[in-house]
Amino acid sequence: MLSVVLLGTGNVAHHLFHAFSKSKDIAVHQVYGRNSEALKDFEPKVSTTTSIAKIAEADMYILAVSDSSVTEVSKTLRGKKGTVVHTSGSVPMDAIKSKQRGVFYPLQTFTKGNEVDFREIPICIEAEGEENRLLLETLGKSISNHVYRISSAQRKKLHLCAVLVNNYPNHLYHMAHEICAENKIPFHLLFPLILETVNKIRHLSPKEAQTGPARRNDIVTMQQHISQLQDPLQQKIYQLLSESIKALYEKEL
Amino acid sequence: MLSVVLLGTGNVAHHLFHAFSKSKDIAVHQVYGRNSEALKDFEPKVSTTTSIAKIAEADMYILAVSDSSVTEVSKTLRGKKGTVVHTSGSVPMDAIKSKQRGVFYPLQTFTKGNEVDFREIPICIEAEGEENRLLLETLGKSISNHVYRISSAQRKKLHLCAVLVNNYPNHLYHMAHEICAENKIPFHLLFPLILETVNKIRHLSPKEAQTGPARRNDIVTMQQHISQLQDPLQQKIYQLLSESIKALYEKEL
C-alpha cells in the first residue's frame, strides 16, 4: 500500500484523487490546499489542511499545483522522506528541490465535472534513481494501463504536441461553432466529420489522411472561404494553415 | 425504386456507389467516367461508359465530379428528363444547367479504402421545387438516417466549417506527428487526448471546453512552445491561434 499526500485543489488534483480512490494499492492520506474553500469538496472523503506545517508523512507527495508554484511548494517539503513529484507537462524534473523526486504527468485534458477513464490515460513518468522510478511505476499502474518513461526533454515536446492536438483543434471547433450559430446550422451536423477525422489517423498518418482545398491547391475555394470569415485574425489563421498544408504537398501536385 | 446514374469515379463516387448498392430502394443503372482506367473498379458490378452520348435514362443523375466541372457536365445532361444533382459543398445549386436540379452533399471526408458508416453521415439536400425535394429526401433516407434541408448559402458556410474541423485539425495532428517522430515518442500517446477533445464538445461548447496556456494567458509556456517549433510558418500558426484564443477569453482573466 502506497501512501500519498496530494498538494493542490484544481482539476488535476480532483481527477487524480478520484482515480486513486478507486485503487486498492494507493491510500491518499491528506489533501493540502492554500484555499480552505477549494478544499471543501475533498473534506467528506479525506483529511485536509491549509497549513504546510501540518502536512502528513507519506511515501509520495504529488504536486498538482500551477507550473510556477512547483519549485516553491517543493522547497517546503525538503524535510520529508517521501518522494516529491509534480504533474506538469512543461516543468523539468529538476524544478523540484528534493533529492527524492520525479514526474507523474497524465497526458489528458481535465475539465471539472467531466469524468474520464483513467485506465486509458497515458501516464508519463520520470524519476531520480531506480527506486523512485519503481515507486512511480507502481503509482502509475495502480490507475492506468499505459505508463511510459518519458524524459524531461521529451515531455516538453509532448506538452507542445498536446496544445497542437487539443487546444488548437478545439479553437477551430469554436470558430465553426460560431459560424453555425450565425447561420442557423445545427453544430452537431459536423460531429460525424470530426469523429472520422480522428478515426482516420488510427490507421493512416495525418499526412496520408489529409484532403480538402489546401491539399489540392484549390485557390478559388480557399479564397471563397477566407472572404466568408469576418475576423481578420481568423482570416490569417485560415491563410497560414492552408499555406502550411500547401507547402507539405507541393511536390505531389 | 429510384434509378440513378452516377457521374464521376473519385472517392465520393466510390463511397456513394457502395452505399446505394446496399439499399433496396435505389438502383444504380450506370457509372460514367472520362477515364476508362478509373471505371474498372466499377465494371464487375455495374454498366459503365466513357461516352456522354451513351448515358442511360434515369430518375436521377448524380454528379460526383470536381467543383469546376459541375456546370460543364450538367450542360451535357440538358436533354435528360431526370433530376441532375451535384455533391459539392462549395458549389451553388444554380451551377447546374437543368431545370430539374438539386444538391446532394454528404458532409464527410472520404478516403479510398476507408469504409464509413453512411447511415451516420448527414446528407445536406437542396432542390428546385417540391417534387425534386421529395426525390432527394427519398434518395438521402435510403442511405442515411440524417437528411437535412440546407440552402446554398448555408452549405457554403458548412463547407468552410468542414475545413476548419477536419483539414486544419488534421494538419495540427501532422505537426504533432512530426515532433513525436523526431523525439522518439510514440504518436499514439496522444490518442486519448485527441479523443477526449472531441468527446468534450458533445456536452460542452468548444468555448467552455477550452483549456491550456493560451486560455490562461501563460506567456512563459507559449514562448517555450514557439521556440521549440523549427518552421517559421508553424511558429506563426502557433502565435496566431494562441492570439485568437487569448482574445476570446481576455475579458474573463
Side-chain angles (χ1 to χ4, degrees):
Chain A
M1 188 72 128
L2 209 63
S3 62
V4 161
V5 169
L6 206 52
L7 296 95
T9 55
N11 280 331
V12 175
H14 269 280
H15 280 90
L16 279 179
F17 179 77
H18 190 74
F20 289 140
S21 303
K22 289 183 185 169
S23 164
K24 58 182 190 335
D25 302 321
I26 310 295
V28 180
H29 276 187
Q30 193 183 40
V31 176
Y32 160 83
R34 279 177 308 182
N35 181 337
S36 59
E37 195 56 39
L39 280 171
K40 279 194 175 152
D41 285 345
F42 295 95
E43 273 166 15
K45 302 161 204 155
V46 63
S47 151
T48 66
T49 181
T50 57
S51 160
I52 285 280
K54 287 183 183 161
I55 288 179
E57 291 298 321
D59 298 321
M60 198 163 286
Y61 298 88
I62 302 180
L63 312 187
V65 299
S66 68
D67 290 359
S68 56
S69 309
V70 167
T71 297
E72 187 200 331
V73 178
S74 81
K75 279 181 185 168
T76 68
L77 297 168
R78 269 178 172 164
K80 304 288 182 192
K81 276 187 201 152
T83 305
V84 180
V85 304
H86 74 64
T87 53
S88 163
S90 51
V91 175
M93 182 170 73
D94 60 18
I96 295 171
K97 300 304 171 193
S98 302
K99 276 187 190 163
Q100 308 301 325
R101 63 188 175 186
V103 177
F104 189 81
Y105 171 49
L107 183 49
Q108 188 51 287
T109 167
F110 297 105
T111 318
K112 211 181 166 180
N114 193 42
E115 210 185 312
V116 283
D117 180 4
F118 238 98
R119 295 233 69 90
E120 293 309 316
I121 297 178
I123 309 277
C124 306
I125 62 165
E126 184 183 3
E128 194 78 64
E130 190 64 5
E131 210 171 310
N132 288 320
R133 193 181 63 70
L134 288 171
L135 216 58
L136 276 164
E137 227 160 61
T138 304
L139 189 74
K141 285 177 179 168
S142 75
I143 57 172
S144 166
N145 299 333
H146 309 279
V147 180
Y148 296 90
R149 291 167 72 171
I150 297 284
S151 69
S152 283
Q154 285 176 314
R155 192 159 28 81
K156 219 170 145 181
K157 303 288 181 185
L158 255 182
H159 190 248
L160 164 60
C161 288
V163 169
L164 295 178
V165 306
N166 165 244
N167 301 158
Y168 291 173
N170 185 72
H171 189 59
L172 292 159
Y173 300 158
H174 165 72
M175 284 166 61
H177 191 270
E178 273 193 325
I179 294 169
C180 284
E182 281 161 16
N183 294 281
K184 299 191 169 62
I185 303 164
F187 181 60
H188 67 78
L189 250 77
L190 293 167
F191 279 4
L193 178 60
I194 289 172
L195 275 179
E196 175 64 7
T197 309
V198 171
N199 281 336
K200 261 192 195 178
I201 59 164
R202 288 178 180 277
H203 45 92
L204 291 174
S205 74
K207 191 179 173 188
E208 293 166 317
Q210 191 60 283
T211 59
R215 174 164 188 173
R216 58 176 187 268
N217 199 14
D218 174 350
I219 294 162
V220 177
T221 300
M222 288 189 279
Q223 277 172 348
Q224 272 183 8
H225 283 172
I226 289 174
S227 70
Q228 287 183 74
L229 290 164
Q230 284 146 19
D231 175 357
L233 194 51
Q234 294 191 354
Q235 289 184 331
K236 265 195 185 167
I237 289 170
Y238 188 102
Q239 215 172 341
L240 285 182
L241 279 165
S242 63
E243 244 177 70
S244 181
I245 295 173
K246 263 165 58 184
L248 184 62
Y249 296 96
E250 220 153 39
K251 289 166 202 156
E252 291 176 18
L253 285 172
Chain B
M1 187 74 127
L2 208 65
S3 62
V4 161
V5 170
L6 205 53
L7 296 95
T9 54
N11 280 330
V12 175
H14 269 280
H15 280 90
L16 279 178
F17 180 76
H18 190 73
F20 289 139
S21 304
K22 288 184 186 170
S23 165
K24 59 183 190 331
D25 301 321
I26 310 295
V28 180
H29 275 3
Q30 194 182 39
V31 176
Y32 159 83
R34 280 176 307 181
N35 181 338
S36 59
E37 196 55 40
L39 281 170
K40 280 194 174 155
D41 285 345
F42 296 96
E43 272 165 16
K45 302 161 204 155
V46 64
S47 151
T48 65
T49 181
T50 57
S51 161
I52 284 281
K54 287 184 182 159
I55 287 179
E57 291 299 321
D59 298 321
M60 197 163 286
Y61 297 88
I62 303 179
L63 313 187
V65 298
S66 68
D67 291 359
S68 55
S69 310
V70 167
T71 297
E72 186 200 330
V73 178
S74 80
K75 279 182 185 166
T76 67
L77 298 168
R78 269 179 172 162
K80 304 289 183 190
K81 278 187 199 150
T83 305
V84 180
V85 303
H86 74 63
T87 53
S88 163
S90 52
V91 175
M93 182 171 71
D94 59 18
I96 295 171
K97 301 303 170 194
S98 303
K99 278 187 186 161
Q100 307 301 326
R101 64 189 176 184
V103 178
F104 189 82
Y105 171 49
L107 183 50
Q108 188 50 284
T109 167
F110 297 106
T111 318
K112 212 181 166 181
N114 193 41
E115 211 184 312
V116 283
D117 180 4
F118 239 98
R119 295 233 68 91
E120 293 308 316
I121 297 178
I123 308 278
C124 305
I125 61 165
E126 184 182 3
E128 193 78 65
E130 190 62 4
E131 211 171 309
N132 287 321
R133 193 181 63 72
L134 288 171
L135 216 58
L136 275 165
E137 225 160 62
T138 305
L139 188 74
K141 285 177 180 169
S142 75
I143 57 172
S144 167
N145 299 334
H146 308 280
V147 180
Y148 296 89
R149 292 166 70 171
I150 296 285
S151 69
S152 282
Q154 285 176 315
R155 192 158 27 81
K156 219 170 144 180
K157 302 289 180 184
L158 255 182
H159 191 248
L160 165 59
C161 288
V163 168
L164 295 178
V165 306
N166 165 244
N167 300 158
Y168 290 173
N170 185 72
H171 190 59
L172 291 159
Y173 300 157
H174 165 72
M175 283 165 62
H177 191 270
E178 272 192 327
I179 294 168
C180 284
E182 281 160 16
N183 294 281
K184 298 192 169 63
I185 302 166
F187 180 60
H188 66 79
L189 251 77
L190 293 167
F191 279 4
L193 178 60
I194 289 173
L195 275 179
E196 175 65 8
T197 309
V198 171
N199 282 335
K200 262 191 193 178
I201 60 164
R202 289 179 179 276
H203 45 92
L204 291 174
S205 72
K207 191 180 174 189
E208 293 167 317
Q210 191 60 283
T211 59
R215 174 165 188 172
R216 58 176 189 268
N217 198 14
D218 175 350
I219 294 162
V220 177
T221 301
M222 289 189 280
Q223 277 171 349
Q224 271 183 9
H225 283 171
I226 289 174
S227 69
Q228 287 183 76
L229 290 165
Q230 284 146 18
D231 176 357
L233 194 52
Q234 294 192 354
Q235 288 185 331
K236 266 196 185 167
I237 289 170
Y238 188 103
Q239 215 172 342
L240 285 182
L241 279 165
S242 62
E243 245 178 70
S244 181
I245 294 173
K246 264 165 57 184
L248 183 63
Y249 297 96
E250 221 153 38
K251 290 166 201 157
E252 292 175 19
L253 284 173

